[in-house]
Amino acid sequence: MEPKRLIIVAVGGQGNLLASHVLGEAALMSGVPVRMSEIHGMAQRGGVVESALVFGDAKSTIISDGEADLFVSFEPCEALRALKKCNANTVAITNTRPLPPFTAFIGRGTYPDLETVTETLKNKTGRLIAFDATALAEEAGNPMCLNMVLLGTLIGTGVLPITADSIREAIRTRTKADFVEMNLAAFEKGFARAA
Amino acid sequence: MHKLLTDKPGESMFLLGNEAIARGAMEAGVAFTSTYPGTPSSELSLNFFQMSRESDLYFEYSTNEKVSLEVAAAAANSGVRSMCMMKHVGLNVAADVLMTLAYVGVTGGLVILTADDPFMFSSQNEQDNRYYAKFGGLPMMEPSSVEEAKEMVKDAFELSEKLKRPVLFRTTTRINHSTSVVTLGELPARKTKGDFIKDPMRCVTVPAVSRGLHVKLLADLKKAQEMAEASPWNFVEGKGSLGIIANGVSYTYAADAVKDLGASERIKILRMGFANPMPVAMIKDFLKGCEKVLVIEEGEPFMEEAVKAFAQEEGLTLPIAGKDEKLFSRLFEFDPAMVRKNIASFFDIALDAPAPVNAQGVPDLPIRPPTLCAGCSHRSVFYAAKKACEGMDVVFPSDIGCYTLGFLPPLGMGDFVVCMGASSGTACGFSTVTDKKVVAFVGDSTFFHSGLSGLINGVFNNHNYTLVILDNRTTAMTGHQPNPGVDMTELAMENYNTVDIEAIVKAIGVKHVSTIRAFNVKKAIETIQEAVAFEGISVIIVKEKCALYAKNLKQLKGKPFQVNPDKCKNHMECINALGCPAFYVKDGKPGIHAHVCVGCALCAQACPENAIVPARSL
Ligand SMILES: Cc1ncc(C[n+]2csc(CCOP(=O)(O)OP(=O)(O)O)c2C)c(N)n1
Ligand code: SF4
C-alpha cells in the first residue's frame, strides 16, 4: 500500500497522544500497516506535542517537511508553526480555538489573528477544514473530547484507509469506560464536519 | 494484568519501542533489572517497575547510573539474567564500572541499554555512545525498528552469555519513542536466584589480574567479531554497484529512499545491527562489490572512519563518503527527505520530492516553551530567591530537573547547568574565585544522584555558598519516579526505607540548615536572606510535593484563585514576575483559568493590591 503520512500537533495536555493511539489501534485491527513516532518530552509542562503516523509500506516512523498527506492541529497558532510539514496537496484540519502561549501575555511575541491563520493555511495547502472543534467537544460533554472530534474529522476526509467503524471499536476498547459514550459522540460530531 | 505479561504468543500488539524492548527482555527471561531514569529510556523502566509488582521480576530505581550498573553487574555475576538501562549521559556516570566490568565479564547475561538522543529532544548533549562499545571493548547491538528491537534484545542476552561479557544495546529516541505492531513470543520462566562462585583471578581487578583480563578481553573481541560476521543482524539487501552502509533508524530512511528513487536494482544496502566489533570481512567484501559507498549514520562518523580504514587495508580506492558539508552532518537527527536527497545527489539519481510550503506570509509566532506547572513549588522558591537577593550580585548555579526551567524569563533563575549534581560542585568554584554570593539549586533526586558529593566537598574545603535543595518528593522531570527520599507507602509499596535529607545534611557537618515549605513567600525570603548572610556552607531544604505528582496521587486540595477586578490596579506583577500558566490576559487585564489554577496562593502573595483571592470568596 502506498504510504499515507499524517502529522498531528497539539499543546501538551490536549490529548493528542490518545488520539494517535486510537488511530494506531484501529489501523492494527484493520490490517493496515502503521508506524508512529511521538515527541512528547515536555508534554506535561505545556510544550508542543507532535505525533507522526505513517500508514502503508514504509519503514520510517518520522515525516519530513513537506511530506504530510494529512495534517491535524489542535490549536491554530500551532498549525502555523508546524506548517512546513505540509505541501500544496496536503489536507489540513485545524481547531480554531486559540490557546495562547504564556509568552504572548508577557509581551514576547504576539498571537496571530485567526483570519491570518486560516487564510495562510488555506492558501498554502490543498484543502483546509477549520472550525471550533473545542466547541463541538463541549457540546459532546467535555472539552477534553477535542481529540475525538478531530479524529472524527480526520477519518471523515477519507484520506486514510481506515473505516469509521474500526475507530469506533478502538474508542470502545481503548478509551476510559466512563468516557466512551462522550468520545463516540464527539467522534460523530467531528466526522460530520469533514463533509 | 500488565499488558506486557500477556501470555499469548503470536498475538499482535501496538507497542512503544520501550515497551517492545521490555517485552523482548521478558521473553529472554530477564530476572533482574535496574535503572536510574532518563529520557528517552524512562518508559522501559516504568514497564519493568510495573511488571515487578505483578511477577517475580526484580526491578529497582537505583540512586544513580553507576550504582545501578554495579547492582546489575553483581546479579549478572551470580548467573542471573540482568538488564540495566539509562539515558546516554547516564553511561558517563556508569563509565567507571563499565570500563572494568568489560574486563571482568559476567556469568549470566547482562544487557546494558543506552538510549541516545540525537537532536537533544530532552537532553543536555547528543553524545554518540557507540564509542563506549569501542572504548570499553564491548559487543554492541543496534536495532533499526521497534519490532526488531524486541527480537534483538533477546539475542543480546544470548550473545552476552556466549561471550560471558556485558552487551551494550544502543537505541536512539526514534526507537524508544516510536510505536509499531509487534508480535508476541513465548514468556519463559525466570531464574531469579543465582550463586556467586568466587573467582578472584577474574573478579578482583588488581593490576596483576587485570593485565591478564585485558589479554582475554581482546581475544574475546576476536571471537565477537567472528560472530558479527555471521550475525543475521548484519545483512545486505538490494543489488547493484552503488553501496550504502547504514545503522539504526538511518537504515529505515535509506531503505525507503532507495525504494522511492526506484533504485533497488542499482543500490545495495549493508545494514549494521551487530555493530561492535564490526564484521570486517563482510564490510571488505561489500566494498569490493561497490564503485561508490555512502555511509549513513546519525551522530559521529563511527562506521565511516572504520570503513575507510578497512578500504585502505585492502588497497581499495573507491569513493567513500558520509559526514561532509554537502552530505550528512554530525549534528542532530536525520529525516527521510534529507537521506533521500543525499542519496540522490551522491549517486547522481534524479529526485522528485514534494516541496514543503514556503514560509512567506507566515507571521512570527510567540514561542511556546515548556513551563513549570501551575502550583509548582519551584516557582515559589525562585520568586522568593529573586526577592531575597534583590540588589545583590549573586551567581545561581542550578542543576538538572524541572527546576532547570526556572532559568527562563520571567523567573530567570539558573546561571550554570552542565550535568546532574553539578550545582553543589560548581558552587565551590564560583564562590572561591568571584567575590559574589553563590546560591545553588538542586532537586531531591539529583541531590541523591550526585549532588551530595559536591556538598561534602563544600563542607570539607570550607567553601561559602547556599544550597537550596528543592525537595519536591519525587523525580518529576522524567515522569515522577521514586528516589531515596520518597515515602513509598504513598504508592502502596512496602519494603522500602526513606532517606532523610535534613539528617544527611546535618550529619556531614553543615552548620546552617533550615527546612521550609514553599508557599509561605515571606518566610522563604527571610530564610534565604539568613542563609546567604551566613559565612560558610548553608543549606535550605524546601519540602513541598510536586504539584503534578500530588495531583496524580489525588492529594491536591487547593481551590482555584481569582483576580478581583475591583481591586486589581493592573500592576501585572502576577503576569510579569511569575510566569504561571494558569494566568491569561484579556482586554489588558489579568485573569486566572479556574481549571488550571491549583490554589498555591503564590500570586496572592505577590500581588501588591491583595487583589487575588480564593474564587469562592468573591
Ligand atoms: C546522568 C543523567 N541521568 C539522568 C538524567 C535525566 N534526568 C533529567 S532531570 C532528572 C531528575 C530530576 O529530578 P529532581 O532532581 O528531583 O528534580 P525535579 O524534576 O523533581 O524538579 C533526570 C533523572 C540526566 N539528565 N543525566
Ligand atoms: S511536574 Fe512537578 S516539579 Fe515539574 S514543573 Fe510540574 S509541578 Fe513543578
Side-chain angles (χ1 to χ4, degrees):
Chain A
M1 180 198 140
E2 261 305 285
K4 287 282 176 209
R5 298 185 167 85
L6 161 67
I7 289 279
I8 307 179
V9 288
V11 176
Q14 284 191 308
N16 145 357
L17 300 182
L18 180 62
S20 29
H21 271 268
V22 167
L23 203 48
E25 292 286 350
L28 170 60
M29 281 184 235
S30 321
V32 174
V34 58
R35 291 170 191 285
M36 168 165 100
S37 64
E38 293 160 354
I39 286 301
H40 51 89
M42 301 259 195
Q44 293 190 305
R45 321 290 182 278
V48 182
V49 187
E50 183 181 295
S51 328
L53 288 104
V54 182
F55 302 88
D57 298 319
K59 290 189 159 82
S60 314
T61 66
I62 66 172
I63 299 172
S64 299
D65 291 353
E67 307 215 328
D69 299 294
L70 258 172
F71 175 85
V72 179
S73 178
F74 284 43
E75 203 279 339
C77 162
E78 294 313 317
L80 276 195
R81 202 191 309 278
L83 186 61
K84 59 182 184 304
K85 291 288 172 196
C86 299
N87 60 49
N89 296 317
T90 304
V91 175
I93 300 166
T94 188
N95 183 13
T96 53
R97 179 80 65 94
L99 202 65
F102 191 79
T103 49
F105 297 136
I106 56 170
R108 295 173 63 222
T110 3
Y111 195 87
D113 67 68
L114 280 181
E115 204 145 321
T116 314
V117 175
T118 46
E119 274 310 299
T120 315
L121 286 168
K122 201 164 157 187
N123 292 337
K124 292 182 188 277
T125 59
R127 178 180 174 203
L128 174 68
I129 308 173
F131 61 101
D132 187 343
T134 308
L136 292 192
E138 286 161 356
E139 277 176 28
N142 191 326
M144 279 311 291
C145 298
L146 169 66
N147 51 4
M148 297 298 136
V149 173
L150 290 166
L151 192 54
T153 316
L154 169 70
I155 293 301
T157 63
V159 177
L160 293 180
I162 293 174
T163 61
D165 274 339
S166 63
I167 298 279
R168 291 186 190 107
E169 182 56 26
I171 291 177
R172 277 188 209 104
T173 53
R174 299 291 158 183
T175 71
K176 284 203 191 107
D178 295 352
F179 273 81
V180 168
E181 285 314 312
M182 235 170 353
N183 281 341
L184 286 169
F187 175 79
E188 302 305 336
K189 284 179 190 292
F191 191 86
R193 278 306 268 114
Chain B
M1 192 185 58
H2 194 282
K3 73 174 176 186
L4 297 183
L5 292 173
T6 307
D7 197 8
K8 288 186 188 154
E11 191 170 289
S12 298
M13 267 193 195
F14 192 50
L15 294 185
L16 185 70
N18 280 333
E19 293 172 332
I21 295 168
R23 172 70 190 201
M26 295 300 275
E27 289 178 9
V30 71
F32 193 99
T33 50
S34 60
T35 196
Y36 182 76
T39 315
S41 76
S42 303
E43 301 84 0
L44 175 55
S45 321
L46 177 67
N47 279 286
F48 283 137
F49 183 38
Q50 291 164 339
M51 284 191 281
S52 73
R53 299 177 72 173
E54 295 180 27
S55 69
D56 58 355
L57 173 73
Y58 179 82
F59 170 80
E60 72 168 50
Y61 283 114
S62 312
T63 39
N64 64 34
E65 292 86 352
K66 177 175 182 286
V67 173
S68 193
L69 185 52
E70 289 158 353
V71 169
N77 266 293
S78 308
V80 172
R81 282 202 168 182
S82 306
M83 186 162 179
C84 179
M85 44 269 157
M86 58 194 72
K87 73 183 279 149
H88 61 335
V89 287
L91 205 53
N92 300 335
V93 178
D96 205 8
V97 199
L98 183 78
M99 299 300 286
T100 308
L101 183 65
Y103 283 27
V104 170
V106 292
T107 55
L110 173 61
V111 175
I112 302 165
L113 181 133
T114 164
D116 291 12
D117 190 17
F119 191 70
M120 300 165 273
F121 288 101
S122 36
S123 303
Q124 63 266 38
N125 78 20
E126 57 176 349
Q127 67 185 50
D128 184 337
N129 274 8
R130 293 178 296 170
Y131 284 98
Y132 269 115
K134 201 164 174 178
F135 193 22
L138 294 155
M140 172 173 65
M141 292 190 148
E142 266 197 284
S144 289
S145 70
V146 170
E147 306 89 293
E148 198 182 47
K150 175 178 149 287
E151 300 310 317
M152 200 184 250
V153 79
K154 292 197 258 186
D155 238 26
F157 279 101
E158 296 292 329
L159 177 65
S160 171
E161 282 180 7
K162 266 186 215 142
L163 288 167
K164 299 204 174 335
R165 302 276 167 196
V167 168
L168 201 60
F169 195 82
R170 188 230 186 199
T171 58
T172 57
T173 302
R174 296 301 187 167
I175 297 287
N176 302 94
H177 287 172
S178 283
T179 306
S180 277
V181 178
V182 166
T183 309
L184 303 185
E186 309 268 346
L187 282 178
R190 262 174 293 287
K191 179 182 165 228
T192 56
K193 284 284 169 204
D195 191 18
F196 175 62
I197 316 285
K198 293 185 184 186
D199 183 2
M201 294 310 284
R202 179 176 71 81
C203 298
V204 181
T205 57
V206 295
V209 172
S210 290
R211 283 182 205 115
L213 294 179
H214 198 189
V215 172
K216 194 156 175 304
L217 172 63
L218 296 190
D220 277 0
L221 274 175
K222 267 246 166 329
K223 265 194 252 167
Q225 187 201 319
E226 280 156 28
M227 291 176 177
E229 303 280 5
S231 169
W233 303 117
N234 297 329
F235 57 82
V236 177
E237 68 178 24
K239 51 179 184 265
S241 58
L242 307 176
I244 287 174
I245 300 178
N247 70 330
V249 291
S250 305
Y251 158 74
T252 64
Y253 309 154
D256 283 349
V258 169
K259 196 167 103 197
D260 292 350
L261 294 167
S264 326
E265 300 289 314
R266 297 176 57 201
I267 303 180
K268 57 180 177 244
I269 306 180
L270 168 56
R271 203 296 301 265
M272 300 287 287
F274 187 145
N276 194 68
M278 285 188 189
V280 183
M282 186 186 196
I283 293 171
K284 287 179 174 175
D285 230 37
F286 183 79
L287 294 178
K288 283 175 193 159
C290 292
E291 285 164 25
K292 240 179 144 178
V293 165
L294 184 61
V295 184
I296 311 181
E297 56 190 327
E298 288 176 332
E300 303 299 319
F302 178 84
M303 298 191 298
E304 182 187 342
E305 287 177 354
V307 168
K308 284 176 172 168
F310 300 150
Q312 201 274 342
E313 282 171 11
E314 293 300 299
L316 299 170
T317 56
L318 75 165
I320 299 171
K323 305 290 171 184
D324 183 303
E325 261 168 42
K326 291 201 200 68
L327 292 165
F328 293 106
S329 172
R330 289 164 59 189
L331 298 171
F332 313 145
E333 68 165 358
F334 293 175
D335 68 78
M338 165 211 283
V339 169
R340 193 195 308 122
K341 183 175 125 280
N342 287 341
I343 291 175
S345 82
F346 185 69
F347 294 124
D348 215 1
I349 298 172
L351 173 69
D352 173 29
V357 298
N358 64 39
Q360 216 183 345
V362 177
D364 282 342
L365 302 169
I367 57 165
R368 195 184 294 276
T371 43
L372 298 173
C373 302
C376 176
S377 51
H378 301 332
R379 175 179 293 104
S380 190
V381 178
F382 289 141
Y383 178 73
K386 206 168 173 171
K387 289 276 170 203
C389 299
E390 232 160 37
M392 283 159 56
D393 199 359
V394 181
V395 184
F396 297 102
S398 190
D399 222 303
I400 303 202
C402 279
Y403 51 95
T404 312
L405 295 174
F407 91 100
L408 293 168
L411 295 163
M413 292 300 251
D415 297 326
F416 199 80
V417 174
V418 275
C419 65
M420 283 190 74
S423 53
S424 53
T426 54
C428 298
F430 285 124
S431 65
T432 304
V433 302
T434 69
D435 291 329
K436 298 180 178 175
K437 284 285 180 187
V438 176
V439 177
F441 300 101
V442 68
D444 48 341
S445 190
T446 304
F447 177 74
F448 288 114
H449 177 279
S450 49
L452 174 60
S453 40
L455 185 63
I456 294 175
N457 182 69
V459 173
F460 172 65
N461 287 305
N462 201 24
H463 287 291
N464 180 21
Y465 68 83
T466 300
L467 181 67
V468 182
I469 303 176
L470 301 160
D471 181 9
N472 63 354
R473 323 295 302 134
T474 187
T475 313
M477 180 75 150
T478 43
H480 302 99
Q481 293 85 356
N483 69 50
V486 169
D487 175 4
M488 296 296 279
T489 60
E490 288 192 332
L491 300 170
M493 293 189 68
E494 307 295 327
N495 282 327
Y496 287 89
N497 296 303
T498 304
V499 181
D500 181 3
I501 295 181
E502 187 180 297
I504 296 180
V505 171
K506 286 187 171 155
I508 63 174
V510 177
K511 294 284 181 295
H512 192 285
V513 183
S514 357
T515 297
I516 57 169
R517 302 288 302 263
F519 293 110
N520 184 337
V521 177
K522 191 161 162 273
K523 174 88 188 288
I525 294 175
E526 285 165 10
T527 308
I528 296 167
Q529 281 171 337
E530 278 168 25
V532 171
F534 181 81
E535 284 295 315
I537 296 283
S538 53
V539 168
I540 301 169
I541 301 159
V542 184
K543 210 164 170 175
E544 189 77 57
K545 199 171 274 170
C546 153
L548 192 54
Y549 183 54
K551 192 171 167 189
N552 294 344
L553 290 174
K554 310 223 178 319
Q555 291 178 354
L556 211 52
K557 300 259 154 52
K559 296 273 186 307
F561 277 60
Q562 218 176 38
V563 181
N564 181 345
D566 301 333
K567 283 180 134 186
C568 172
K569 296 219 172 95
N570 257 20
H571 299 281
M572 291 285 180
E573 177 77 359
C574 50
I575 300 286
N576 294 330
L578 301 179
C580 172
F583 275 87
Y584 60 86
V585 183
K586 200 171 169 202
D587 305 326
K589 287 258 182 192
I592 297 174
H593 287 296
H595 66 283
V596 184
C597 177
V598 300
C600 74
L602 169 62
C603 54
Q605 297 168 72
C607 172
E609 302 293 335
N610 292 320
I612 303 177
V613 290
R616 61 189 179 284
S617 66
L618 268 186

